[in-house]
PDB file of all heavy atoms in Angstrom:
ATOM      1  N   PHE A  98     106.355  77.012  99.563  1.00 98.00           N
ATOM      2  CA  PHE A  98     105.526  78.085 100.126  1.00 98.00           C
ATOM      3  C   PHE A  98     105.819  79.414  99.450  1.00 98.00           C
ATOM      4  O   PHE A  98     106.723  79.533  98.627  1.00 98.00           O
ATOM      5  CB  PHE A  98     105.740  78.163 101.638  1.00 98.00           C
ATOM      6  CG  PHE A  98     107.118  78.647 102.053  1.00 98.00           C
ATOM      7  CD1 PHE A  98     107.322  79.976 102.392  1.00 98.00           C
ATOM      8  CD2 PHE A  98     108.202  77.779 102.110  1.00 98.00           C
ATOM      9  CE1 PHE A  98     108.579  80.429 102.789  1.00 98.00           C
ATOM     10  CE2 PHE A  98     109.454  78.216 102.510  1.00 98.00           C
ATOM     11  CZ  PHE A  98     109.644  79.543 102.840  1.00 98.00           C
ATOM     12  N   GLU A  99     105.025  80.413  99.823  1.00 98.00           N
ATOM     13  CA  GLU A  99     105.250  81.788  99.363  1.00 98.00           C
ATOM     14  C   GLU A  99     105.000  82.741 100.529  1.00 98.00           C
ATOM     15  O   GLU A  99     104.438  82.340 101.556  1.00 98.00           O
ATOM     16  CB  GLU A  99     104.303  82.150  98.202  1.00 98.00           C
ATOM     17  CG  GLU A  99     104.887  81.864  96.826  1.00 98.00           C
ATOM     18  CD  GLU A  99     106.212  82.589  96.598  1.00 98.00           C
ATOM     19  OE1 GLU A  99     106.402  83.694  97.131  1.00 98.00           O
ATOM     20  OE2 GLU A  99     107.070  82.039  95.888  1.00 98.00           O
ATOM     21  N   GLY A 100     105.435  83.970 100.380  1.00 98.00           N
ATOM     22  CA  GLY A 100     105.177  85.003 101.389  1.00 98.00           C
ATOM     23  C   GLY A 100     104.842  86.296 100.675  1.00 98.00           C
ATOM     24  O   GLY A 100     105.605  86.751  99.815  1.00 98.00           O
ATOM     25  N   ASN A 119     104.587  86.398  92.893  1.00 98.00           N
ATOM     26  CA  ASN A 119     104.666  85.253  93.813  1.00 98.00           C
ATOM     27  C   ASN A 119     103.951  84.042  93.222  1.00 98.00           C
ATOM     28  O   ASN A 119     104.392  82.900  93.398  1.00 98.00           O
ATOM     29  CB  ASN A 119     104.040  85.613  95.161  1.00 98.00           C
ATOM     30  CG  ASN A 119     104.781  86.743  95.845  1.00 98.00           C
ATOM     31  OD1 ASN A 119     104.507  87.906  95.581  1.00 98.00           O
ATOM     32  ND2 ASN A 119     105.742  86.406  96.680  1.00 98.00           N
ATOM     33  N   ARG A 122     106.322  82.508  90.762  1.00 98.00           N
ATOM     34  CA  ARG A 122     107.435  81.854  91.457  1.00 98.00           C
ATOM     35  C   ARG A 122     106.973  80.575  92.153  1.00 98.00           C
ATOM     36  O   ARG A 122     107.701  79.583  92.196  1.00 98.00           O
ATOM     37  CB  ARG A 122     108.045  82.832  92.468  1.00 98.00           C
ATOM     38  CG  ARG A 122     109.318  82.322  93.102  1.00 98.00           C
ATOM     39  CD  ARG A 122     109.988  83.399  93.924  1.00 98.00           C
ATOM     40  NE  ARG A 122     109.251  83.706  95.135  1.00 98.00           N
ATOM     41  CZ  ARG A 122     109.532  84.737  95.943  1.00 98.00           C
ATOM     42  NH1 ARG A 122     110.522  85.573  95.632  1.00 98.00           N
ATOM     43  NH2 ARG A 122     108.828  84.966  97.029  1.00 98.00           N
ATOM     44  N   ARG A 211     124.317  76.526 101.263  1.00 97.00           N
ATOM     45  CA  ARG A 211     122.863  76.553 101.108  1.00 97.00           C
ATOM     46  C   ARG A 211     122.422  75.979  99.770  1.00 97.00           C
ATOM     47  O   ARG A 211     121.476  75.206  99.710  1.00 97.00           O
ATOM     48  CB  ARG A 211     122.332  77.992 101.222  1.00 97.00           C
ATOM     49  CG  ARG A 211     120.840  78.090 100.956  1.00 97.00           C
ATOM     50  CD  ARG A 211     120.299  79.504 100.990  1.00 97.00           C
ATOM     51  NE  ARG A 211     118.874  79.476 100.670  1.00 97.00           N
ATOM     52  CZ  ARG A 211     118.396  79.502  99.442  1.00 97.00           C
ATOM     53  NH1 ARG A 211     119.190  79.583  98.403  1.00 97.00           N
ATOM     54  NH2 ARG A 211     117.084  79.454  99.240  1.00 97.00           N
ATOM     55  N   GLY A 218     118.095  75.888  95.108  1.00 98.00           N
ATOM     56  CA  GLY A 218     118.241  77.198  95.742  1.00 98.00           C
ATOM     57  C   GLY A 218     117.251  78.231  95.255  1.00 98.00           C
ATOM     58  O   GLY A 218     116.877  79.132  96.003  1.00 98.00           O
ATOM     59  N   ALA A 220     114.182  77.693  94.454  1.00 98.00           N
ATOM     60  CA  ALA A 220     112.807  77.337  94.814  1.00 98.00           C
ATOM     61  C   ALA A 220     112.542  77.697  96.268  1.00 98.00           C
ATOM     62  O   ALA A 220     113.437  77.593  97.110  1.00 98.00           O
ATOM     63  CB  ALA A 220     112.592  75.836  94.603  1.00 98.00           C
ATOM     64  N   LYS A 221     111.308  78.130  96.555  1.00 98.00           N
ATOM     65  CA  LYS A 221     110.944  78.369  97.955  1.00 98.00           C
ATOM     66  C   LYS A 221     110.433  77.032  98.487  1.00 98.00           C
ATOM     67  O   LYS A 221     109.241  76.831  98.716  1.00 98.00           O
ATOM     68  CB  LYS A 221     109.905  79.493  98.049  1.00 98.00           C
ATOM     69  CG  LYS A 221     110.309  80.584  99.052  1.00 98.00           C
ATOM     70  CD  LYS A 221     109.420  81.806  98.968  1.00 98.00           C
ATOM     71  CE  LYS A 221     109.481  82.636 100.234  1.00 98.00           C
ATOM     72  NZ  LYS A 221     110.730  83.412 100.387  1.00 98.00           N
ATOM     73  N   TYR A 226     115.058  75.662 104.172  1.00 96.00           N
ATOM     74  CA  TYR A 226     115.080  76.434 105.414  1.00 96.00           C
ATOM     75  C   TYR A 226     115.524  75.553 106.569  1.00 96.00           C
ATOM     76  O   TYR A 226     116.326  75.973 107.406  1.00 96.00           O
ATOM     77  CB  TYR A 226     113.716  77.127 105.602  1.00 96.00           C
ATOM     78  CG  TYR A 226     113.465  77.952 104.361  1.00 96.00           C
ATOM     79  CD1 TYR A 226     112.903  77.368 103.214  1.00 96.00           C
ATOM     80  CD2 TYR A 226     113.967  79.237 104.252  1.00 96.00           C
ATOM     81  CE1 TYR A 226     112.804  78.067 102.017  1.00 96.00           C
ATOM     82  CE2 TYR A 226     113.869  79.944 103.067  1.00 96.00           C
ATOM     83  CZ  TYR A 226     113.297  79.354 101.945  1.00 96.00           C
ATOM     84  OH  TYR A 226     113.232  80.040 100.773  1.00 96.00           O
ATOM     85  N   GLU A 257     123.149  84.931  99.257  1.00 98.00           N
ATOM     86  CA  GLU A 257     122.079  85.672  99.934  1.00 98.00           C
ATOM     87  C   GLU A 257     122.118  85.397 101.425  1.00 98.00           C
ATOM     88  O   GLU A 257     122.973  84.648 101.906  1.00 98.00           O
ATOM     89  CB  GLU A 257     120.712  85.348  99.326  1.00 98.00           C
ATOM     90  CG  GLU A 257     120.349  83.877  99.397  1.00 98.00           C
ATOM     91  CD  GLU A 257     118.989  83.589  98.781  1.00 98.00           C
ATOM     92  OE1 GLU A 257     118.065  84.396  98.937  1.00 98.00           O
ATOM     93  OE2 GLU A 257     118.853  82.522  98.155  1.00 98.00           O
ATOM     94  N   ILE A 258     121.193  86.008 102.147  1.00 97.00           N
ATOM     95  CA  ILE A 258     121.204  85.963 103.620  1.00 97.00           C
ATOM     96  C   ILE A 258     119.860  85.447 104.131  1.00 97.00           C
ATOM     97  O   ILE A 258     118.842  86.111 103.925  1.00 97.00           O
ATOM     98  CB  ILE A 258     121.393  87.387 104.192  1.00 97.00           C
ATOM     99  CG1 ILE A 258     122.724  87.982 103.762  1.00 97.00           C
ATOM    100  CG2 ILE A 258     121.247  87.387 105.706  1.00 97.00           C
ATOM    101  CD1 ILE A 258     122.856  89.458 104.080  1.00 97.00           C
ATOM    102  N   GLY A 259     119.831  84.327 104.817  1.00 90.00           N
ATOM    103  CA  GLY A 259     118.582  83.853 105.439  1.00 90.00           C
ATOM    104  C   GLY A 259     117.448  83.844 104.438  1.00 90.00           C
ATOM    105  O   GLY A 259     117.497  83.131 103.439  1.00 90.00           O
ATOM    106  N   THR A 260     116.417  84.625 104.685  1.00 91.00           N
ATOM    107  CA  THR A 260     115.323  84.739 103.716  1.00 91.00           C
ATOM    108  C   THR A 260     115.358  86.115 103.055  1.00 91.00           C
ATOM    109  O   THR A 260     114.328  86.713 102.778  1.00 91.00           O
ATOM    110  CB  THR A 260     113.953  84.522 104.381  1.00 91.00           C
ATOM    111  OG1 THR A 260     113.823  85.463 105.451  1.00 91.00           O
ATOM    112  CG2 THR A 260     113.836  83.125 104.946  1.00 91.00           C
ATOM    113  N   MET A 261     116.583  86.571 102.796  1.00 97.00           N
ATOM    114  CA  MET A 261     116.731  87.872 102.158  1.00 97.00           C
ATOM    115  C   MET A 261     117.784  87.833 101.050  1.00 97.00           C
ATOM    116  O   MET A 261     118.811  87.172 101.189  1.00 97.00           O
ATOM    117  CB  MET A 261     117.175  88.914 103.185  1.00 97.00           C
ATOM    118  CG  MET A 261     116.069  89.387 104.088  1.00 97.00           C
ATOM    119  SD  MET A 261     116.666  90.668 105.189  1.00 97.00           S
ATOM    120  CE  MET A 261     117.692  89.711 106.244  1.00 97.00           C
ATOM    121  N   ASN A 262     117.528  88.568 100.006  1.00 98.00           N
ATOM    122  CA  ASN A 262     118.566  88.826  99.014  1.00 98.00           C
ATOM    123  C   ASN A 262     119.440  89.951  99.543  1.00 98.00           C
ATOM    124  O   ASN A 262     119.067  90.655 100.478  1.00 98.00           O
ATOM    125  CB  ASN A 262     117.940  89.223  97.671  1.00 98.00           C
ATOM    126  CG  ASN A 262     117.105  88.092  97.076  1.00 98.00           C
ATOM    127  OD1 ASN A 262     115.883  88.176  97.016  1.00 98.00           O
ATOM    128  ND2 ASN A 262     117.775  87.036  96.644  1.00 98.00           N
ATOM    129  N   ILE A 281     120.088  81.328  94.080  1.00 97.00           N
ATOM    130  CA  ILE A 281     119.411  82.245  95.003  1.00 97.00           C
ATOM    131  C   ILE A 281     117.950  82.409  94.599  1.00 97.00           C
ATOM    132  O   ILE A 281     117.570  82.161  93.461  1.00 97.00           O
ATOM    133  CB  ILE A 281     120.100  83.635  95.105  1.00 97.00           C
ATOM    134  CG1 ILE A 281     120.080  84.359  93.763  1.00 97.00           C
ATOM    135  CG2 ILE A 281     121.508  83.518  95.643  1.00 97.00           C
ATOM    136  CD1 ILE A 281     120.585  85.780  93.848  1.00 97.00           C
ATOM    137  N   LEU A 282     117.159  82.819  95.563  1.00 98.00           N
ATOM    138  CA  LEU A 282     115.746  83.031  95.352  1.00 98.00           C
ATOM    139  C   LEU A 282     115.576  84.364  94.619  1.00 98.00           C
ATOM    140  O   LEU A 282     116.198  85.359  95.006  1.00 98.00           O
ATOM    141  CB  LEU A 282     115.092  83.094  96.733  1.00 98.00           C
ATOM    142  CG  LEU A 282     113.673  82.586  97.002  1.00 98.00           C
ATOM    143  CD1 LEU A 282     112.669  83.646  96.584  1.00 98.00           C
ATOM    144  CD2 LEU A 282     113.382  81.266  96.306  1.00 98.00           C
ATOM    145  N   ALA A 283     114.732  84.368  93.594  1.00 98.00           N
ATOM    146  CA  ALA A 283     114.475  85.609  92.854  1.00 98.00           C
ATOM    147  C   ALA A 283     113.468  86.441  93.635  1.00 98.00           C
ATOM    148  O   ALA A 283     112.257  86.361  93.408  1.00 98.00           O
ATOM    149  CB  ALA A 283     113.952  85.286  91.456  1.00 98.00           C
ATOM    150  N   GLY A 284     113.946  87.223  94.573  1.00 98.00           N
ATOM    151  CA  GLY A 284     113.062  87.961  95.482  1.00 98.00           C
ATOM    152  C   GLY A 284     112.272  89.051  94.780  1.00 98.00           C
ATOM    153  O   GLY A 284     112.790  89.775  93.928  1.00 98.00           O
ATOM    154  N   VAL A 285     111.018  89.171  95.173  1.00 98.00           N
ATOM    155  CA  VAL A 285     110.157  90.234  94.650  1.00 98.00           C
ATOM    156  C   VAL A 285     110.622  91.577  95.240  1.00 98.00           C
ATOM    157  O   VAL A 285     110.636  92.598  94.557  1.00 98.00           O
ATOM    158  CB  VAL A 285     108.671  89.960  94.998  1.00 98.00           C
ATOM    159  CG1 VAL A 285     107.774  91.088  94.513  1.00 98.00           C
ATOM    160  CG2 VAL A 285     108.224  88.623  94.395  1.00 98.00           C
ATOM    161  N   THR A 286     111.053  91.555  96.497  1.00 98.00           N
ATOM    162  CA  THR A 286     111.562  92.781  97.125  1.00 98.00           C
ATOM    163  C   THR A 286     112.884  93.190  96.487  1.00 98.00           C
ATOM    164  O   THR A 286     113.151  94.379  96.310  1.00 98.00           O
ATOM    165  CB  THR A 286     111.751  92.577  98.640  1.00 98.00           C
ATOM    166  OG1 THR A 286     110.651  91.816  99.141  1.00 98.00           O
ATOM    167  CG2 THR A 286     111.834  93.904  99.370  1.00 98.00           C
ATOM    168  N   ARG A 287     113.716  92.191  96.149  1.00 98.00           N
ATOM    169  CA  ARG A 287     114.974  92.454  95.433  1.00 98.00           C
ATOM    170  C   ARG A 287     114.677  93.224  94.156  1.00 98.00           C
ATOM    171  O   ARG A 287     115.276  94.269  93.886  1.00 98.00           O
ATOM    172  CB  ARG A 287     115.649  91.113  95.104  1.00 98.00           C
ATOM    173  CG  ARG A 287     116.847  91.172  94.151  1.00 98.00           C
ATOM    174  CD  ARG A 287     117.263  89.739  93.782  1.00 98.00           C
ATOM    175  NE  ARG A 287     118.435  89.688  92.921  1.00 98.00           N
ATOM    176  CZ  ARG A 287     118.388  89.805  91.587  1.00 98.00           C
ATOM    177  NH1 ARG A 287     117.220  90.028  90.976  1.00 98.00           N
ATOM    178  NH2 ARG A 287     119.495  89.735  90.884  1.00 98.00           N
ATOM    179  N   ASN A 288     113.729  92.705  93.372  1.00 98.00           N
ATOM    180  CA  ASN A 288     113.382  93.345  92.109  1.00 98.00           C
ATOM    181  C   ASN A 288     112.808  94.744  92.346  1.00 98.00           C
ATOM    182  O   ASN A 288     113.138  95.695  91.627  1.00 98.00           O
ATOM    183  CB  ASN A 288     112.380  92.461  91.353  1.00 98.00           C
ATOM    184  CG  ASN A 288     111.983  93.053  90.028  1.00 98.00           C
ATOM    185  OD1 ASN A 288     111.044  93.860  89.965  1.00 98.00           O
ATOM    186  ND2 ASN A 288     112.712  92.715  88.978  1.00 98.00           N
ATOM    187  N   THR A 326     117.004  92.321 101.428  1.00 97.00           N
ATOM    188  CA  THR A 326     115.650  92.622 100.981  1.00 97.00           C
ATOM    189  C   THR A 326     114.785  91.365 101.052  1.00 97.00           C
ATOM    190  O   THR A 326     115.208  90.296 100.635  1.00 97.00           O
ATOM    191  CB  THR A 326     115.628  93.123  99.517  1.00 97.00           C
ATOM    192  OG1 THR A 326     116.059  92.062  98.654  1.00 97.00           O
ATOM    193  CG2 THR A 326     116.522  94.323  99.313  1.00 97.00           C
ATOM    194  N   GLY A 327     113.583  91.510 101.588  1.00 96.00           N
ATOM    195  CA  GLY A 327     112.655  90.375 101.649  1.00 96.00           C
ATOM    196  C   GLY A 327     111.289  90.852 102.107  1.00 96.00           C
ATOM    197  O   GLY A 327     111.186  91.898 102.755  1.00 96.00           O
ATOM    198  N   THR A 328     110.262  90.096 101.770  1.00 95.00           N
ATOM    199  CA  THR A 328     108.886  90.494 102.101  1.00 95.00           C
ATOM    200  C   THR A 328     108.695  90.701 103.597  1.00 95.00           C
ATOM    201  O   THR A 328     108.073  91.667 104.023  1.00 95.00           O
ATOM    202  CB  THR A 328     107.896  89.430 101.588  1.00 95.00           C
ATOM    203  OG1 THR A 328     107.974  89.417 100.169  1.00 95.00           O
ATOM    204  CG2 THR A 328     106.472  89.717 102.009  1.00 95.00           C
ATOM    205  N   ALA A 329     109.225  89.791 104.410  1.00 88.00           N
ATOM    206  CA  ALA A 329     108.979  89.868 105.847  1.00 88.00           C
ATOM    207  C   ALA A 329     109.575  91.140 106.443  1.00 88.00           C
ATOM    208  O   ALA A 329     108.891  91.891 107.135  1.00 88.00           O
ATOM    209  CB  ALA A 329     109.529  88.636 106.542  1.00 88.00           C
TER     210      ALA A 329
HETATM  211  C1  PLP B  10     111.549  84.567 100.361  1.00 64.60           C
HETATM  212  C2  PLP B  10     113.010  84.650 100.221  1.00 64.60           C
HETATM  213  C3  PLP B  10     113.674  85.809  99.795  1.00 64.60           C
HETATM  214  C4  PLP B  10     112.965  87.112  99.584  1.00 64.60           C
HETATM  215  O1  PLP B  10     111.999  87.054  98.579  1.00 64.60           O
HETATM  216  P1  PLP B  10     110.855  88.145  98.527  1.00 64.60           P
HETATM  217  O2  PLP B  10     110.062  87.770  97.330  1.00 64.60           O
HETATM  218  O3  PLP B  10     111.493  89.460  98.416  1.00 64.60           O
HETATM  219  O4  PLP B  10     110.086  87.999  99.798  1.00 64.60           O
HETATM  220  C5  PLP B  10     115.038  85.766  99.602  1.00 64.60           C
HETATM  221  N1  PLP B  10     115.737  84.639  99.842  1.00 64.60           N
HETATM  222  C6  PLP B  10     115.135  83.509 100.261  1.00 64.60           C
HETATM  223  C7  PLP B  10     115.959  82.305 100.481  1.00 64.60           C
HETATM  224  C8  PLP B  10     113.763  83.487 100.477  1.00 64.60           C
HETATM  225  O5  PLP B  10     113.176  82.384 100.916  1.00 64.60           O
END
Side-chain angles (χ1 to χ4, degrees):
F98 68 97
E99 269 303 328
N119 297 86
R122 188 171 71 189
R211 175 183 178 274
K221 231 170 159 74
Y226 304 84
E257 59 180 322
I258 298 170
T260 56
M261 283 183 289
N262 296 110
I281 63 173
L282 213 278
V285 177
T286 320
R287 170 188 182 275
N288 180 273
T326 65
T328 295

